[in-house]
Amino acid sequence: MQFTPHINNDIIKCRRIIIGENMNNRIEKVFKLADASVKRFARAKLSWQWGQGLFIYALSMIDSEFTQDKFALYIKQYYDRHIRIGYKINSQFALPAALSALWLYDKTKEIKYRKIGEAGAEYLKSAEKTADGIPYHSGGGIISRLYPESIRTDSIMMCGVFASIYAKYNDDNKIKETVSNLTKLFTKNLLDSDEHLLYHSYLTQIKTRYPLAKILWATDNAMTLWALSVLLENSEEKKEKEYTVELFRNLSGALLKYQRADGYFESVLNIINKTGKESSATMFIACAWFYGYRKGLLSVEYYRAAIRAFNAVTDDFEIKKGLLSMPYISAPAHPLLPPYLVMSRASDRHNGLAAAFLAALEYKRCIDDKAGISNYEIL
């Protein structure tokens, strides 16, 4: 199947109608950021890692939303390169990189893309697991030799999003079972009963959360909230869905009280005004709240809060080297070396860009589905 790098005139015309009638300027600004990001990052330089995988996935979701092939060639060439040079799925960090292979196979029917999805599913089935049956966070890579056996909150996103989407495309009982048990297994030891928020890590051999201090990292909680929205969208099992809805609402309520006056969230949620604003967490939370409101799971209070978050981040977009750019995206954190208080921030990290693209799509859907509340677009 041949892809063209640009959409045809009918789609351009359709998109202009959508933009004119149903999207505000900030949403369109995010889609311009997607265009800029594709120019900024050569597909040949994107690595086989979770952040880049989420970036590619978010681009595929933009194409799906607008029934276009604007980014399909970029996505296809990303996968073709990694097929050519060799890819591995030997840890959870690689699972998000496999996400859009499922989308691409559905689009092209080329077996080589289905094999990437199957490799991800095989990893989930065969990976070394903790006593509770959760895949060991660091997998079989070198990091697994340096870090104690553990589970980490970001694994809910790494494993859960892939597993739920794979299960949607494939009738695989083991993967469905993974999705069914996921949230309860992870939250058993990671959820703080007082705050209703999640710790970063749990060391299984010594049965303790880490860091030992109550440090509630925004990015982990934000990615988990977004992952829960994906699980809810793809879940079929009523009992598990009820638990996930309850967790989604409780986590949303806990996060709401930590939203800053300017709409952002701090890098560390419970250390107020000391760790700095963080844009990827803010956008993942906004995305999940837009979804929750649109699906009737959350009240209009969360819709308004999501808009404040979305507006805050998009208003900080800037121009770098002639291209639109998104700042204040924190680096990944390692629980044994917790640099939370001095977390480095940079522009255009891929996980933050993905969060912005996904949030813009959910905001657009809210406006499309709930035209009667469009007066809340600008606060």
Side-chain angles (χ1 to χ4, degrees), residues 271-321:
I271 302 179
I272 312 247
N273 296 324
K274 292 184 179 179
T275 59
K277 60 187 182 183
E278 207 289 316
S279 58
S280 69
T282 300
M283 278 301 205
F284 272 124
I285 292 168
C287 180
W289 284 352
F290 284 135
Y291 174 86
Y293 175 71
R294 184 169 64 87
K295 292 292 185 176
L297 302 173
L298 299 174
S299 71
V300 73
E301 178 183 16
Y302 291 91
Y303 181 65
R304 292 169 174 154
I307 294 171
R308 286 197 297 275
F310 187 88
N311 289 356
V313 176
T314 53
D315 285 349
D316 277 343
F317 284 3
E318 53 196 11
I319 300 296
K320 285 193 172 182
K321 297 183 179 180

Side-chain angles (χ1 to χ4, degrees), residues 304-348:
R304 292 169 174 154
I307 294 171
R308 286 197 297 275
F310 187 88
N311 289 356
V313 176
T314 53
D315 285 349
D316 277 343
F317 284 3
E318 53 196 11
I319 300 296
K320 285 193 172 182
K321 297 183 179 180
L323 295 172
L324 201 59
S325 176
M326 177 179 168
Y328 306 118
I329 305 170
S330 69
H334 195 291
L336 286 188
L337 300 169
Y340 305 101
L341 303 185
V342 291
M343 180 71 69
S344 67
R345 290 170 183 75
S347 297
D348 305 310

Side-chain angles (χ1 to χ4, degrees), residues 21-164:
E21 293 182 355
N22 295 322
M23 292 207 301
N24 67 26
N25 291 335
R26 289 187 179 92
I27 298 175
E28 178 59 12
K29 194 176 183 181
V30 173
F31 294 133
K32 289 178 180 177
L33 177 67
D35 295 338
S37 300
V38 167
K39 291 177 182 177
R40 177 175 283 113
F41 298 110
R43 61 187 68 85
K45 294 183 180 180
L46 290 180
S47 65
W48 190 257
Q49 265 293 342
W50 70 271
Q52 289 81 354
L54 287 179
F55 173 73
I56 290 291
Y57 171 73
L59 291 177
S60 73
M61 293 300 97
I62 295 174
D63 266 7
S64 294
E65 182 72 14
F66 290 104
T67 320
Q68 65 181 30
D69 286 335
K70 186 174 187 181
F71 300 117
L73 180 61
Y74 184 90
I75 295 166
K76 186 177 189 299
Q77 291 178 342
Y78 168 77
Y79 281 110
D80 287 348
R81 173 178 176 268
H82 282 287
I83 289 169
R84 186 174 66 254
I85 66 176
Y87 64 87
K88 290 182 180 179
I89 301 180
N90 62 352
S91 79
Q92 297 172 24
F93 301 109
L95 286 174
L99 280 172
S100 292
L102 303 170
W103 172 86
L104 197 55
Y105 170 70
D106 192 52
K107 200 173 185 67
T108 67
K109 304 306 178 189
E110 292 188 50
I111 299 299
K112 59 183 178 180
Y113 304 125
R114 189 181 74 184
K115 287 182 178 179
I116 296 173
E118 290 172 345
E122 182 57 32
Y123 167 76
L124 279 177
K125 294 174 188 175
S126 62
E128 183 180 354
K129 295 178 175 61
T130 67
D132 287 331
I134 303 173
Y136 176 35
H137 181 77
S138 298
I142 190 170
I143 296 175
S144 67
R145 307 293 176 256
L146 304 174
Y147 188 67
E149 183 178 317
S150 70
I151 60 174
R152 280 164 58 177
T153 297
D154 46 306
S155 298
I156 301 175
M157 182 279 290
M158 304 282 186
C159 297
V161 171
F162 174 83
S164 70

